[in-house]
Amino acid sequence: MADIIAVSDVTKEYGTAVKTKALRGVAFRVEGKEFLSIIGQSGSGKSTLLNLLGLLDRPTEGTVSLLGTDVGALSKKERAAFRNRYLGFVFQFHHLLPEFSVRENLLIPTWIGGSKNNARATTETHRRAEEILDFLGVGQVADKSAEQISGGQKQRVAIGRALMNSPDILLADEPTGNLDTENSALVYDLFRRIHNEMGTTFVIVTHDRAIAQQTDRIIEVRDGLISQDVRNDYLAVP
Amino acid sequence: MDFSKINIEEILFPEMTGWLLAAKIFFVLFNLGVIAFIVYVWSSTVYLRRLFLWDLVEFFTFRAYNVKLIEKDWNKIKKRLLTQNPAQMKLAMIEADLLVKDVLFRIGYPGKDLAEQNGLAPGDSVRLVLADGSTVETVVEGVFDLGAQAANERSVFSGLELASSALGRSTDRVSAVETQIADVFASPEVAASLRTAFPQLTVSEWQAKNSDLLTALQSQSTSSYMIQVFVIIAVMLGIASTLAISAVQKTRQIGILKALGMSDSKTGLVFLYQAGILGVIGTLLGIAVSLALIAVFSSVAKSGDSGLFPIEPRLGFVLLSAGIGIAIALISAIIPYRKTARLDPIQVIQGG
């Protein structure tokens, strides 16, 4: 079985005249459905790595394979379609579209995927949206505008949006960075439940070590290199 | 907090302030230029300028326009009548007739033809007084509309026998033959062929006799085309700037949609659709307003039942205009289309 994620000797340079290396030969593999975090100081290269995993950017050198596909070989259009079909994103800022209701925000990834023109698919996606909203505990605000709900609810809706196309990999960039302690814990619990119940691979980028310590594997990035890649065994401790 | 120091544009579009300001200045200058050009063209159009001046003078003087001029003319006519000289009296009658016609025309009762001015209808008897004082009795058979007020007021058609007997000429001789051709601008060629066929006749055609009118018509056409070109450019820039501003305002949403997997071409299509909708709605409104303005203009600027400047909208031209309008709107979407295609979603996501 192909690796879920395979990153081989990836470097990433920015700039033309003066070049800055954000990543300098990063390599790691995710073989099964894991719940891992990438930690590092600001400017360490962790967000750059997430952008490469999310197909939002291309590596200067090296290869990134997701679900057995060398994504570097894909065209821009194919990468967009891959992102929509197999990846889910949760950002630090919820990035919900204020023009739409909560339910519509959930449905956006399916519309992009083309379900809006298919009556049967539309019925199914609506049902799935209801299930996800209930699962996340925001079913009661489904018809409200995305601007009318609280910050914690917005982030849960953003998680729901990421789940709509049943992604194999969910990428989260500082997902609790904009939340209070209570909502941070709630988001983390949701991630863990989604991982356990749906089998989604999680890659959480964070600088919050408390959050990272609750994941099964921690990859630490420092100065564009992986300084640590450790299994977190404390959860297994009774 | 010192609100005067806050520049809202710098907050909303920090990287766009420079060229947005330049674009605004450009559009303001461009629009002023277009307005100045339209005012210039309008003021150089005699008919509209005259109406405007009349209104202005009447507004400020609280009396009908040109009353003084009429008084002056009327006094002149009275003076001629007092001379008791038959020639002066005839002249007085002609001038009085013209004065009455002029006044009636100005207050909206022009009377489009001889029949209307003299209260004649088919079947009525009429007595024509010729220049030498002789008279001819005849019956009105019908009333013609030649589509020109001056011709309607001064033309009488009769059989050759009546005209010949009235003028004391034989029926086998005519002084002139006028002919009408389908393509009015082919008159030089038609005249040339007639000269070849009838070398003993003097053939003249309207373009040679009215070169000043032709020059005026050509100038009018050129002005009209120039106005159309400027309007098209103004419309194109207007729609393009609207879409460009829309693209700037929707940068965040577009970035998020791209991050969620929307392709560059699909995000660009959003603006193409927007431009299409703007184009269709604008074109339909434009056609409706144009037709309404034509109707208003035709009802205001008319002589009797017929328009002074009859404008008949043709379906083909309306469809062509609609096509150009929608095409301009779609072309205007190219800039925002390219802009959104180049937008990097990472900038939006990290920007918060």
Side-chain angles (χ1 to χ4, degrees):
Chain A
M1 188 183 165
D3 292 336
I4 303 262
I5 300 171
V7 177
S8 306
D9 299 324
V10 162
T11 62
K12 180 65 188 176
E13 285 180 356
Y14 291 108
T16 48
V18 180
K19 293 191 174 178
T20 309
K21 272 198 172 179
L23 294 175
R24 299 184 291 171
V26 170
F28 70 93
R29 291 164 67 191
V30 177
E31 293 171 6
K33 295 181 185 301
E34 292 191 34
F35 192 79
L36 69 94
S37 58
I38 298 174
I39 61 169
Q41 296 292 325
S42 182
S44 60
K46 60 184 192 303
S47 289
T48 303
L49 183 56
L50 192 80
N51 290 338
L52 296 176
L53 293 175
L55 311 191
L56 296 171
D57 208 349
R58 288 177 188 269
T60 310
E61 284 174 19
T63 58
V64 175
S65 292
L66 301 178
L67 307 167
T69 304
D70 178 4
V71 293
L74 300 178
S75 69
K76 213 173 176 186
K77 197 174 178 180
E78 287 168 336
R79 289 160 69 85
F82 192 98
R83 201 158 57 229
N84 177 254
R85 174 64 193 87
Y86 299 109
L87 305 180
F89 281 98
V90 177
F91 310 108
Q92 180 177 359
F93 304 97
H94 54 82
H95 286 311
L96 298 179
L97 299 186
E99 295 89 346
F100 295 100
S101 70
V102 165
R103 181 184 286 106
E104 286 167 338
N105 265 285
L106 246 72
L107 291 169
I108 285 170
T110 65
W111 290 345
I112 293 171
S115 75
K116 206 175 183 181
N117 301 324
N118 183 328
R120 192 176 158 190
T122 303
T123 313
E124 283 175 16
T125 50
H126 273 78
R127 201 188 67 239
R128 180 166 170 75
E130 300 301 330
E131 285 173 5
I132 289 173
L133 287 170
D134 289 339
F135 176 80
L136 297 170
V138 283
Q140 75 281 6
V141 295
D143 294 316
K144 283 193 174 179
S145 159
E147 282 197 317
Q148 291 176 311
I149 57 176
S150 69
Q153 286 175 322
K154 282 175 183 169
Q155 196 61 318
R156 277 184 276 163
V157 174
I159 294 167
R161 182 177 64 186
L163 293 174
M164 268 309 288
N165 279 344
S166 308
D168 292 274
I169 305 165
L170 198 148
L171 306 166
D173 188 6
E174 302 281 7
T176 58
N178 212 27
L179 300 176
D180 56 24
T181 314
E182 190 185 338
N183 276 305
S184 294
L186 197 65
V187 165
Y188 170 77
D189 287 343
L190 279 171
F191 281 177
R192 182 57 83 172
R193 277 178 60 200
I194 292 162
H195 172 67
N196 291 340
E197 293 178 23
M198 301 180 189
T200 310
T201 295
F202 270 77
V203 179
I204 304 168
V205 165
T206 181
H207 67 273
D208 186 345
R209 285 185 173 269
I211 289 286
Q213 278 171 2
Q214 296 178 71
T215 60
D216 299 342
R217 181 182 170 187
I218 302 171
I219 295 173
E220 184 173 20
V221 181
R222 186 178 290 172
D223 299 329
L225 290 166
I226 291 179
S227 58
Q228 284 192 78
D229 184 352
V230 294
R231 296 279 164 188
N232 192 349
D233 296 326
Y234 99 98
L235 283 171
V237 175
Chain B
M1 184 181 282
D2 184 7
F3 286 98
S4 64
K5 289 181 181 170
I6 296 174
N7 186 341
I8 198 73
E9 283 177 4
E10 283 180 6
I11 296 167
L12 293 175
F13 319 116
E15 77 283 14
M16 310 303 296
T17 311
W19 73 259
L20 260 185
L21 181 66
K24 277 182 182 176
I25 292 168
F26 172 74
F27 284 126
V28 167
L29 290 175
F30 182 83
N31 284 328
L32 285 175
V34 171
I35 290 165
F37 182 76
I38 290 169
V39 168
Y40 167 73
V41 172
W42 171 80
S43 62
S44 59
T45 307
V46 178
Y47 180 75
L48 291 175
R49 193 177 55 193
R50 195 175 58 184
L51 285 185
F52 176 74
L53 281 174
W54 286 3
D55 279 352
L56 210 64
V57 170
E58 286 179 352
F59 180 80
F60 285 108
T61 58
F62 288 95
R63 60 190 296 190
Y65 182 76
N66 266 359
V67 162
K68 268 191 178 175
L69 192 68
I70 292 167
E71 279 175 348
K72 199 174 154 191
D73 288 347
W74 181 238
N75 288 334
K76 216 161 87 179
I77 292 164
K78 283 199 289 187
K79 231 185 231 177
R80 287 192 198 283
L81 289 171
L82 290 171
T83 59
Q84 297 295 319
N85 180 330
Q88 287 292 327
M89 288 173 80
K90 276 183 189 174
L91 214 56
M93 282 177 71
I94 293 167
E95 283 179 355
D97 185 41
L98 288 172
L99 187 63
V100 169
K101 258 197 288 185
D102 189 35
V103 171
L104 284 174
F105 175 76
R106 285 181 193 187
I107 61 174
Y109 299 98
K112 72 172 181 181
D113 49 38
L114 265 178
E116 209 171 83
Q117 285 169 356
N118 294 286
L120 295 172
D124 289 349
S125 293
V126 65
R127 191 174 58 155
L128 302 175
V129 182
L130 302 179
D132 62 357
S134 61
T135 58
V136 180
E137 296 275 349
T138 186
V139 176
V140 177
E141 294 291 339
V143 177
F144 296 87
D145 182 2
L146 297 173
Q149 189 182 1
N152 284 345
E153 285 176 349
R154 290 170 177 79
S155 306
V156 174
F157 293 90
S158 76
L160 190 57
E161 291 80 11
L162 177 68
S164 300
S165 69
L167 296 169
R169 294 179 185 177
S170 64
T171 54
D172 60 347
R173 290 178 69 86
V174 292
S175 55
V177 175
E178 283 191 12
T179 184
Q180 197 170 11
I181 55 177
D183 180 5
V184 292
F185 292 102
S187 59
E189 291 79 23
V190 175
S193 64
L194 287 173
R195 280 187 201 103
T196 313
F198 306 101
Q200 73 279 19
L201 298 181
T202 304
V203 180
S204 61
E205 50 93 14
W206 74 273
Q207 290 193 58
K209 286 160 71 178
N210 298 284
S211 57
D212 287 349
L213 176 67
L214 268 177
T215 308
L217 286 173
Q218 279 164 359
S219 302
Q220 194 184 30
S221 295
T222 309
S223 302
S224 171
Y225 286 133
M226 280 183 72
I227 291 170
Q228 285 173 38
V229 167
F230 276 99
V231 166
I232 284 172
I233 293 170
V235 166
M236 194 184 261
L237 288 173
I239 296 174
S241 61
T242 303
L243 292 173
I245 290 166
S246 177
V248 171
Q249 287 173 332
K250 299 291 178 190
T251 298
R252 186 173 152 269
Q253 286 87 333
I254 292 162
I256 294 161
L257 290 173
K258 279 190 162 188
L260 295 176
M262 187 176 268
S263 64
D264 292 347
S265 55
K266 269 192 179 175
T267 50
L269 278 178
V270 171
F271 291 97
L272 214 58
Y273 288 144
Q274 192 178 352
I277 291 166
L278 274 175
V280 169
I281 293 173
T283 300
L284 290 176
L285 276 175
I287 290 170
V289 171
S290 301
L291 293 176
L293 283 174
I294 287 171
V296 169
F297 185 73
S298 300
S299 67
V300 171
K302 69 177 191 178
S303 162
D305 293 336
S306 62
L308 278 178
F309 307 98
I311 305 169
E312 290 174 10
R314 283 171 291 156
L315 181 64
F317 187 76
V318 171
L319 291 177
L320 177 71
S321 306
I324 290 171
I326 294 167
I328 287 168
L330 293 176
I331 291 167
S332 307
I334 289 173
I335 296 169
Y337 184 99
R338 288 168 62 96
K339 185 175 170 56
T340 53
R342 284 200 300 263
L343 179 71
D344 184 355
I346 295 172
Q347 291 175 352
V348 176
I349 294 162
Q350 291 178 345

